[in-house]
Every structure is written in structure tokens, then in C-alpha cells.
């Protein structure tokens, strides 16, 4: 395949309909009350974030200075448990609460994962937070982080605006 | 030691990591939702200022669960900090502490360095670096990469997706460069 064909194909992929990294794959619609389930999961998740000090700027610094195993242990064991869970869900075809088959969207590779990944990593080191901890830091009373969150929203918007011009 | 005292202690990685990992099956089984947090930022753009940009014109209402989820994270942070807080100071590794002291960080007592993350700092060069620039990189980078630590590193790797491995490696590369090159340089600009 020559370069032009490749570009055309990539453009077609980019122009494709909505692709989300955290998609809602449930076929049945859900009302506001059903959404409270996810609020509750979020609350538990936020408590873990704070209690394990994952939202701490210092813990992120320790991770990138290789001075502590803590964050590597957290991410590593989270991945191990997630992997095992998905393996079991697939193997035993475990259904969702509403009886649907679990649907997993494969990730497709593009060079954005490299460029964007490095840019996010730089921001991670500066802010001491990935998007999840930003919310937990605000809840913990670090109100200055509201500015970080607004800036992250602006960054997301800017990406959407520049997307057709960026290399992928 | 009673249970509440035990919960107030900092949780070790082997408790926190598996609990975070369980979020993956919890969201899948509760309602076929794939774990990912940075998408909430995109939904906020789509809901508040789509500006006819194709990337933000989609039915964000279908993805509103993600906004409930992040609101929950905020509330969870509040509950943990105001009701379950660890009474003792944070313990920072000695070498990290020494290196950060050399960069001018003085306060090591809280989860965040109190000399940086204050409301008073918002309109200072420090605020510009840590809040505005840092936040922008997080939002721009995660969207460009198509996910963050949750969507790629945890959800993607759990589902054995190699593009997520590429992304995770790049997150770490960026983090190391940010910590050892960019951050010292920026802190020298804004003493």
C-alpha cells in the first residue's frame, strides 16, 4: 500500500463514527437512577485513590524517581486483577446485570498513542495526577486543582479542534 | 486496633491495586461499561462547547454514566479526606525528599506540596506551570493518546490490547522526562 492510500485509509478511520475509550456498550437505555450505580463505584474508587495516596504528587514523584515500589505495585496488581477478571468473564461468558453479553472494544493503534502518550506523561509528572486523581484531589480540598481540571478540559478541546491537522 | 483506625492508616499497594482492578469487572457487569476516565473530559467538551467540531458532536447523553463516575470520584475523595484521613504526616521516600528539597519544595506533610498547590498560587508563574500547563498537557495528551492510565494502562492492558501497551510505555517515558528534565527546568524559571 503506498503512502497516499494509507493516508486515505487513516482519514476514513478518523472520520468514522464516535469511538470512545470508555464506551457505554449497554443496549438498553438507562435513566438517572441507574446512573447512581456508577456514582457509587466512583465514590469507592475515589476513597481508594486517597487512602492509598495515589492522588499524591509525592507518590508520583517517587514513582518517576524509582524511589518507591508503591505505584508500580498498585498499577501492576490492578492490571493483574483486571486481566484475570476479563479472562473469567470471557471464559464463562458472564452476563451483565441486565443479561447482556459483555462487549469489549478493541483498541486500534495510531501514532497518537506515542505522541499523546509522551505529552500526557509530561503533564502527569508536573501535576502529579492523571485525570482520575484530578477529581479526587479537588474532592480532597485542593481547590487550586480546579484550574488544572479546567485546563485539562481546554487541552482536550484543543485536541479536538486540531485533530485533522495532527499526525496520527 | 479497631476497624476505623485500620481504615485510616494509608492502604498498602496490595490492597489498593486489586480494588482498582476490580473496577474493570464491576463496570462491565453493572452495565457493559469500559473503564476509562479521560473520556469524561471529552464528554464535558461535547456537552458544554462542541463548537461544531466533529470530534465533539456525538450523543454524549449516552455516555453520561462516565460523568456520574467521575463525580463519584470527587465525592469519594471528599469522604476519604474529611472522614477517613490518616492523622499522621505523609511518609515520602528519603531520596525523593532530598531531590525535591533541592528543587525548592519545603512542605512534605500533606498529599500535595502545600508550597505549590494553593489557591494563592493560581495567578503566579508557579500556578501557570503546575495548573495551567500541566493540566493542558494531561487533557491534550490523554485525548491524543485515546486514553489515560485507566483506559489504556488498566483497561487496555487487562484486555491484552498491544496499542495500550505502547501508550503505557509512552506515558512512563513522558513521566521520566517530565520529572528529570522538564520539571527542574521549569522550577528554575519560576523560583
Amino acid at each position: 500500500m503506498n503512502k497516499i492510500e494509507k493516508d486515505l485509509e487513516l482519514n476514513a478511520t478518523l472520520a468514522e463514527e464516535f469511538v470512545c475509550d470508555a464506551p457505554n456498550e449497554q443496549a438498553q437505555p438507562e435513566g438517572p437512577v441507574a446512573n447512581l450505580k456508577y456514582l457509587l463505584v466512583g465514590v469507592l474508587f475515589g476513597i481508594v485513590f486517597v487512602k492509598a495516596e495515589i492522588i499524591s504528587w509525592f507518590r508520583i514523584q517517587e514513582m518517576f524517581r524509582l524511589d518507591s515500589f508503591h505505584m508500580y505495585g498498585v498499577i501492576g496488581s490492578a492490571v493483574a486483577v483486571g486481566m484475570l477478571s476479563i479472562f473469567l468473564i470471557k471464559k464463562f461468558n458472564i452476563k451483565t446485570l441486565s443479561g447482556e453479553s459483555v462487549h469489549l472494544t478493541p483498541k486500534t493503534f495510531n501514532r497518537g498513542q506515542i505522541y499523546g502518550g509522551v505529552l500526557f506523561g509530561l503533564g502527569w509528572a508536573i501535576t502529579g495526577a492523571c485525570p482520575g486523581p484530578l477529581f479526587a484531589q479537588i474532592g480532597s480540598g485542593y481547590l487550586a486543582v480546579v484550574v488544572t481540571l479546567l485546563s485539562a478540559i481546554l487541552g482536550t478541546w484543543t485536541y479536538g479542534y486540531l485533530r485533522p491537522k495532527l499526525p496520527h | 486496633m479497631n476497624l476505623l483506625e485500620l481504615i485510616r492508616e494509608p492502604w498498602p499497594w496490595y490492597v489498593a491495586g486489586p480494588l482498582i482492578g476490580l473496577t474493570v469487572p464491576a463496570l462491565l457487569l453493572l452495565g457493559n461499561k469500559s473503564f476509562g476516565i479521560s473520556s469524561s473530559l471529552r464528554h464535558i467538551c461535547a456537552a458544554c462547547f462542541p463548537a461544531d467540531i466533529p470530534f465533539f458532536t456525538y450523543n454524549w447523553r449516552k455516555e453520561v454514566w462516565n460523568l456520574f463516575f467521575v463525580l463519584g470520584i470527587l465525592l469519594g475523595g471528599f469522604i476519604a479526606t474529611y472522614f477517613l484521613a490518616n492523622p499522621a504526616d505523609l511518609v515520602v521516600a528519603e531520596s525523593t525528599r532530598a531531590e525535591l528539597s533541592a528543587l525548592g519544595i519545603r512542605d512534605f506533610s500533606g498529599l500535595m506540596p502545600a508550597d505549590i498547590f494553593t489557591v494563592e498560587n493560581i495567578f503566579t508563574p508557579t500556578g501557570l506551570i503546575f495548573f495551567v500547563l500541566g493540566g493542558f498537557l494531561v487533557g491534550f495528551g490523554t485525548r491524543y493518546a485515546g486514553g489515560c492510565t485507566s483506559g489504556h494502562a488498566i483497561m487496555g492492558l487487562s484486555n491484552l490490547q498491544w496499542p495500550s501497551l505502547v501508550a503505557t510505555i509512552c506515558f512512563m517515558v513522558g513521566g521520566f522526562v517530565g520529572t528529570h528534565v522538564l520539571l527542574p527546568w521549569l522550577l528554575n524559571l519560576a523560583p
Side-chain angles (χ1 to χ4, degrees):
Chain A
M1 201 189 307
N2 67 34
K3 173 95 171 66
I4 298 167
E5 278 173 337
K6 226 176 182 172
D7 282 355
L8 281 176
E9 191 188 60
L10 182 67
N11 281 341
T13 334
L14 289 178
E16 233 177 54
E17 259 212 65
F18 177 58
V19 182
C20 181
D21 62 297
N24 171 16
E25 297 287 1
Q26 172 150 310
Q28 295 140 16
E30 290 173 298
V33 180
N35 277 317
L36 291 179
K37 295 190 295 245
Y38 311 111
L39 184 92
L40 186 68
V41 178
V43 168
L44 298 174
F45 193 74
I47 292 175
V48 177
F49 264 4
V50 174
K51 288 315 301 171
E53 300 171 339
I54 294 159
I55 68 159
S56 169
W57 188 86
F58 293 114
R59 292 280 172 266
I60 304 301
Q61 284 290 313
E62 285 175 346
M63 165 171 72
F64 289 131
R65 291 172 192 277
L66 299 174
D67 286 336
S68 160
F69 178 72
H70 185 76
M71 288 301 302
Y72 294 100
V74 167
I75 298 175
S77 57
V79 171
V81 169
M83 245 178 219
L84 181 68
S85 307
I86 290 184
F87 172 78
L88 293 174
I89 286 174
K90 281 180 177 166
K91 184 164 171 69
F92 297 105
N93 193 15
I94 302 172
K95 297 280 195 284
T96 70
L97 269 190
S98 50
E100 296 177 8
S101 289
V102 169
H103 189 284
L104 294 160
T105 321
K107 311 263 181 195
T108 41
F109 176 75
N110 68 64
R111 278 174 293 153
Q113 279 140 13
I114 298 172
Y115 307 135
V118 171
L119 289 174
F120 161 53
L122 294 172
W124 192 9
I126 297 174
T127 61
C130 20
L134 283 182
F135 292 98
Q137 287 173 350
I138 295 170
S140 297
Y142 293 99
L143 294 181
V145 179
V146 171
V147 179
T148 318
L149 178 64
L150 290 175
S151 192
I153 294 170
L154 178 69
T156 302
W157 191 90
T158 308
Y159 167 73
Y161 182 74
L162 296 178
R163 189 166 191 255
K165 298 189 185 74
L166 294 170
H168 280 88
Chain B
M1 190 185 281
N2 69 34
L3 186 66
L4 191 63
E5 278 175 43
L6 190 68
I7 288 176
R8 280 170 180 271
E9 293 281 310
W11 297 3
W13 64 265
Y14 49 83
V15 172
L19 285 174
I20 291 172
L22 284 176
T23 311
V24 170
L27 291 174
L28 285 173
L29 297 180
L30 278 174
N32 237 339
K33 310 287 188 276
S34 284
F35 180 43
I37 296 178
S38 61
S39 40
S40 65
L41 304 173
R42 181 179 176 189
H43 303 328
I44 293 170
C45 290
C48 302
F49 13 80
D52 283 332
I53 296 169
F55 192 64
F56 299 123
T57 40
Y58 58 89
N59 181 16
W60 58 270
R61 284 184 180 82
K62 183 165 180 273
E63 311 296 332
V64 80
W65 75 273
N66 204 261
L67 298 176
F68 277 83
F69 182 59
V70 295
L71 181 66
I73 296 176
L74 193 147
L75 291 174
F78 178 82
I79 294 169
T81 300
Y82 292 96
F83 300 102
L84 305 169
N86 173 18
D89 281 358
L90 190 79
V91 182
V92 181
E94 209 43 62
S95 41
T96 294
R97 208 182 159 112
E99 288 168 26
L100 290 175
S101 296
L103 290 175
I105 310 277
R106 299 277 166 267
D107 190 324
F108 290 87
S109 60
L111 286 173
M112 311 286 280
D115 18 24
I116 295 174
F117 288 85
T118 60
V119 174
E120 290 76 32
N121 266 344
I122 289 176
F123 295 106
T124 64
T126 308
L128 191 69
I129 292 170
F130 283 89
F131 312 144
V132 180
L133 174 69
F136 190 89
L137 285 170
V138 168
F140 187 89
T142 51
R143 202 66 277 125
Y144 199 172
C148 59
T149 332
S150 54
H152 274 311
I154 295 178
M155 185 68 207
L157 291 185
S158 294
N159 193 26
L160 311 175
Q161 299 295 304
W162 70 267
S164 291
L165 183 61
V166 174
T168 305
I169 292 169
C170 292
F171 298 164
M172 297 307 291
V173 169
F176 280 102
V177 174
T179 301
H180 295 278
V181 182
L182 185 63
L183 197 63
W185 185 69
L186 288 172
L187 283 171
N188 280 334
L189 289 184

